[in-house]
Amino acid sequence: MATISDVAKLAGVSVSTVSRIINNKPHVSPRKAALVADAMTKLGYSPLQAARQMRGSGSQTIAVTVPYITNPFFSELVAAIERTADERSYKTVIVQTFGQKSHELNALEFLKTNQVDAVIMCAIENDWDLIKQYSQYGLIGVCNEYVADPDVLMVHADQESGMYAGTKYLLNRGYRKLAFCTGQQDIRFNDNIEDLNSDRYRGYLRALREFDLEPSVEWQFTDVSTIADGQRVLQRIASMKDRPDAVIAGSDQVAAGIIAEAQTLQLKVPQELAVLGFDDQPLSQVVAQPLTTIHQPIHEIGDAIANMVADELEGDTIDTRQVIMPLSVVVRQSVA
Amino acid sequence: MATISDVAKLAGVSVSTVSRIINNKPHVSPRKAALVADAMTKLGYSPLQAARQMRGSGSQTIAVTVPYITNPFFSELVAAIERTADERSYKTVIVQTFGQKSHELNALEFLKTNQVDAVIMCAIENDWDLIKQYSQYGLIGVCNEYVADPDVLMVHADQESGMYAGTKYLLNRGYRKLAFCTGQQDIRFNDNIEDLNSDRYRGYLRALREFDLEPSVEWQFTDVSTIADGQRVLQRIASMKDRPDAVIAGSDQVAAGIIAEAQTLQLKVPQELAVLGFDDQPLSQVVAQPLTTIHQPIHEIGDAIANMVADELEGDTIDTRQVIMPLSVVVRQSVA
């Protein structure tokens, strides 16, 4: 069956214009209205049928996918989504993917079986082309992570600028030997990829290069995301002959593990090693050296995507399909 | 429709005996077999029909309810349940109740609509009599919390003995003025209630009374469950003329908040105030004074209930329907 995106493409207008026409909203030029009407006829697109399909079984349920619910960033994000969904009278079910493609597809299959009306993805494991096929069965929204697709409802933070600002902050404080931690398996980086990890790495590189620095391979830590991972990172750093003077932890969890292990090994934070967190979770205030970290507007992100998805499920016109929120450095005590 | 419990009751045997007979397992006396067959006829109970109903739509999905997914105890518990359910080829969806009766009923309604085959409840908001009615639509298991019902699949820790051991540890270390924190709205306590909070309070009282002590009303803190709540508890303690010398935080989250705020107000832990955590989360090792706390076997609890529920869904005989696991004190640095 044709989708609203197909209609928009054939008519040569935006999805939001098609949506405005279907919902009889003002401010649509007669020329565009004619193009859309024509495209709808050609494609056999029926707004009513599409709406019924979009609303699924009327399960009034939204599934939210996260990699690991034990990561507080994701549990807070899900809680924010669910609070707003609840206000809008939608039930929420949370699906963990454990970072596995097959588990993510399980959640998307819930659309097909009408167990849910919409899926909000907080991370993305499969190729977008595959995921997108499920939009014929229901609505898919994306938050935190992002993809290059102008039709999809999407809310995320400006990861490139956030990591740039954090790295720049360390450089401006005099640090030059900056270690970098990431939760991903490998540092995938090329200029054509638009995703959270690539953008963060891009921000890190941009700041380094302003100071004529290049990243040191020895100080890049991959597949690092828990407190225990942070403890292991610090052990590796402590054993190095040439140690970094600061570490960009990639998450508050990892930063907390690094600081706890530094305390155990009597390595002084921030005097011997500065630690920069990411997320600004409640945890960041209870570690031995409260974290200087990058604040993510978790509640605003969750609230925005839940409202956008509920609006679309209810047939409202959505003028802004993609929202990007700023990140900021929060200064506490883990950087001198 | 009659349930397996109805058959057991009418026949005057245990549910597990009925289950053994239905599944043609050995070690059933001919007399009991006759009683069960009789009861099944009288009630019009069909094991095949019951099995089909028990398995729901074959959604192969289990819902897990938790009060707040942002509480790491629950996110770890859910993760443990889900890992085992996944090994047994069940999908898992997580439902937050926010401690609300209506949200818990939403999850139970998923049984009625065949969206899930079973619900595992990690907390209980509604009266058990109401919840139990949903067992006609599918399987209900309980973990962490518990109820006085011998038929239900249930795995929990021995909260009374755990809190007794923790309180006793403080008393043996010389502390006498013991504050007590709980996540519940009020301290409900009477000898007839069997639940997690009553049992914890019972353990606390038992230890106090061995030292001829009674709890001080002023040092009881209710509705306390987050890091921010812990910070507020410490502020209240700091402003008291007659301060407790130790605080039983009820969770590692609250303990972390108390310790962070004590650091801010320059009140020394454990010299001026000892802090006892509960749960033994990863968090307990990264706070400024690593937590002396009570270890909960979260992974064992989650693993056990998931296996028991999967066994029952698959028609296996379950000999032990209720499992109680021990708690133990882990000594670190927040108690002198």
Side-chain angles (χ1 to χ4, degrees):
Chain A
M1 206 188 92
T3 66
I4 192 168
S5 307
D6 299 332
V7 174
K9 198 175 285 175
L10 183 60
V13 302
S14 70
V15 168
S16 95
T17 298
V18 178
S19 174
R20 296 188 74 80
I21 289 165
I22 291 170
N23 293 290
N24 293 317
K25 303 266 167 150
H27 311 306
V28 176
S29 77
R31 190 184 65 84
K32 283 187 180 167
L35 285 170
V36 169
D38 191 34
M40 280 166 58
T41 309
K42 275 186 187 146
L43 293 166
Y45 178 84
S46 148
L48 261 181
Q49 193 189 340
R52 207 165 37 240
Q53 193 168 47
M54 187 74 93
R55 291 190 190 108
S57 60
S59 69
Q60 282 284 115
T61 305
I62 296 171
V64 181
T65 68
V66 294
Y68 292 94
I69 200 66
T70 48
N71 178 334
F73 172 81
F74 287 109
S75 60
E76 291 284 346
L77 180 56
V78 162
I81 292 171
E82 183 157 358
R83 265 190 294 271
T84 299
D86 184 44
E87 284 167 19
R88 302 285 300 257
S89 303
Y90 289 90
K91 292 172 275 185
T92 303
V93 298
I94 306 164
V95 178
Q96 287 192 91
T97 66
F98 301 111
Q100 289 175 29
K101 288 181 179 0
S102 62
H103 283 67
E104 183 172 272
L105 293 181
N106 284 344
L108 292 165
E109 286 286 325
F110 287 151
L111 289 171
K112 217 167 172 175
T113 53
N114 285 334
Q115 284 168 280
V116 304
D117 298 346
V119 175
I120 296 177
M121 307 176 71
C122 299
I124 295 175
E125 307 301 339
N126 287 280
D127 290 337
W128 184 247
D129 286 343
L130 175 59
I131 294 168
K132 208 180 173 176
Q133 289 174 23
Y134 285 87
S135 60
Q136 64 186 299
Y137 306 112
L139 182 59
I140 299 173
V142 174
C143 74
N144 181 47
E145 256 295 357
Y146 39 101
V147 290
D149 181 339
D151 291 341
V152 69
L153 295 178
M154 205 151 69
V155 179
H156 65 91
D158 187 346
Q159 301 290 343
E160 199 273 350
S161 298
M163 187 58 91
Y164 170 80
T167 309
K168 197 76 187 283
Y169 178 77
L170 290 171
L171 291 164
N172 286 336
R173 303 292 297 173
Y175 298 98
R176 291 292 177 274
K177 300 161 74 176
L178 308 188
F180 184 88
C181 302
T182 173
Q184 63 186 334
Q185 301 292 319
D186 313 284
I187 293 182
R188 286 165 297 162
F189 178 68
N190 81 54
D191 272 339
N192 299 320
I193 299 176
E194 259 193 64
D195 64 17
L196 182 151
N197 285 313
S198 299
D199 265 9
R200 283 195 184 173
Y201 204 69
R202 204 172 272 133
Y204 167 66
L205 289 184
R206 178 156 68 99
L208 282 185
R209 286 172 184 164
E210 286 186 11
F211 281 71
D212 288 323
L213 296 168
E214 284 295 322
S216 154
V217 174
E218 207 193 348
W219 299 334
Q220 314 284 304
F221 300 92
T222 56
D223 197 14
V224 165
S225 56
T226 65
I227 287 174
D229 292 338
Q231 290 171 316
R232 282 188 287 271
V233 165
L234 193 280
Q235 287 161 9
R236 285 170 57 192
I237 288 176
S239 71
M240 289 178 178
K241 275 189 187 159
D242 184 21
R243 289 184 193 168
D245 55 13
V247 52
I248 295 169
S251 76
D252 292 342
Q253 296 282 102
V254 171
I258 289 172
I259 288 176
E261 192 66 14
Q263 200 171 18
T264 304
L265 300 185
Q266 300 189 300
L267 193 148
K268 282 187 187 132
V269 174
Q271 297 85 339
E272 296 176 76
L273 184 74
V275 181
L276 179 70
F278 209 108
D279 295 339
D280 194 22
Q281 297 167 12
L283 171 68
S284 62
Q285 299 185 51
V286 304
V287 292
Q289 277 77 32
L291 295 177
T292 293
T293 187
I294 295 167
H295 177 78
Q296 295 222 60
I298 298 183
H299 298 281
E300 292 82 353
I301 292 174
D303 181 61
I305 190 69
N307 271 320
M308 285 160 69
V309 163
D311 285 347
E312 180 117 332
L313 285 173
E314 288 157 22
D316 288 349
T317 304
I318 298 181
D319 291 320
T320 307
R321 302 185 72 80
Q322 318 220 327
V323 176
I324 302 177
M325 297 190 174
L327 296 175
S328 53
V329 177
V330 178
V331 175
R332 296 198 188 91
Q333 298 162 34
S334 63
V335 175
Chain B
M1 207 188 92
T3 66
I4 192 168
S5 307
D6 299 331
V7 174
K9 199 175 284 176
L10 184 61
V13 303
S14 70
V15 168
S16 95
T17 298
V18 178
S19 174
R20 294 188 74 80
I21 289 164
I22 290 170
N23 294 290
N24 294 316
K25 301 268 167 149
H27 312 308
V28 177
S29 77
R31 190 184 64 85
K32 284 188 180 167
L35 285 171
V36 168
D38 192 34
M40 279 167 55
T41 309
K42 275 187 187 146
L43 292 167
Y45 178 84
S46 149
L48 261 181
Q49 193 188 341
R52 205 163 39 237
Q53 196 167 43
M54 187 73 92
R55 291 192 190 108
S57 59
S59 70
Q60 282 284 115
T61 306
I62 296 171
V64 181
T65 68
V66 294
Y68 292 95
I69 200 67
T70 46
N71 178 333
F73 171 82
F74 288 109
S75 61
E76 291 285 347
L77 180 56
V78 162
I81 292 171
E82 184 159 356
R83 265 188 294 270
T84 299
D86 184 43
E87 283 167 20
R88 302 286 299 257
S89 304
Y90 290 90
K91 291 172 274 187
T92 303
V93 298
I94 307 163
V95 178
Q96 287 192 91
T97 65
F98 300 111
Q100 288 177 28
K101 288 181 176 8
S102 62
H103 282 68
E104 184 172 272
L105 293 181
N106 283 344
L108 292 165
E109 287 286 326
F110 288 151
L111 289 171
K112 220 168 172 174
T113 54
N114 285 335
Q115 283 167 281
V116 304
D117 298 346
V119 175
I120 296 176
M121 306 176 72
C122 299
I124 296 176
E125 307 301 338
N126 288 279
D127 289 339
W128 184 247
D129 287 343
L130 175 59
I131 294 168
K132 208 179 172 175
Q133 289 175 24
Y134 285 89
S135 61
Q136 64 186 297
Y137 306 113
L139 183 59
I140 298 173
V142 174
C143 74
N144 180 48
E145 255 295 357
Y146 40 102
V147 291
D149 182 338
D151 292 341
V152 71
L153 295 177
M154 204 150 70
V155 179
H156 65 89
D158 188 346
Q159 302 289 343
E160 199 273 349
S161 298
M163 187 57 92
Y164 169 80
T167 309
K168 198 74 185 287
Y169 177 77
L170 290 171
L171 292 163
N172 286 337
R173 304 291 297 175
Y175 299 97
R176 289 293 178 273
K177 300 161 72 175
L178 309 188
F180 185 88
C181 302
T182 172
Q184 63 186 333
Q185 301 291 318
D186 313 287
I187 293 182
R188 287 164 298 159
F189 177 69
N190 80 53
D191 273 339
N192 300 319
I193 299 176
E194 261 192 62
D195 64 16
L196 181 150
N197 286 312
S198 299
D199 265 9
R200 283 195 185 173
Y201 204 70
R202 204 172 271 132
Y204 166 67
L205 288 184
R206 178 156 68 99
L208 282 185
R209 284 170 184 165
E210 286 185 11
F211 282 72
D212 288 324
L213 296 168
E214 283 295 323
S216 154
V217 175
E218 208 193 346
W219 299 333
Q220 314 284 304
F221 300 92
T222 56
D223 197 14
V224 166
S225 57
T226 65
I227 287 174
D229 291 339
Q231 291 171 315
R232 281 188 288 271
V233 165
L234 192 280
Q235 287 161 9
R236 284 169 58 192
I237 288 176
S239 72
M240 289 178 179
K241 276 187 188 159
D242 185 21
R243 288 184 193 167
D245 55 14
V247 53
I248 296 168
S251 76
D252 292 342
Q253 296 282 102
V254 171
I258 289 173
I259 288 176
E261 192 65 13
Q263 200 172 18
T264 304
L265 300 185
Q266 299 187 301
L267 195 149
K268 281 188 187 132
V269 175
Q271 296 87 338
E272 296 175 76
L273 184 74
V275 181
L276 178 69
F278 209 109
D279 296 338
D280 195 22
Q281 296 166 15
L283 172 68
S284 62
Q285 299 185 50
V286 303
V287 292
Q289 277 76 33
L291 296 177
T292 294
T293 187
I294 296 167
H295 176 79
Q296 294 222 62
I298 299 183
H299 298 280
E300 293 82 351
I301 292 173
D303 181 61
I305 190 70
N307 271 320
M308 286 160 69
V309 163
D311 285 348
E312 180 117 333
L313 284 173
E314 288 156 22
D316 289 349
T317 304
I318 298 181
D319 292 319
T320 308
R321 302 187 71 79
Q322 317 221 326
V323 176
I324 302 178
M325 297 190 173
L327 296 176
S328 54
V329 177
V330 178
V331 175
R332 296 198 188 92
Q333 299 163 33
S334 63
V335 176

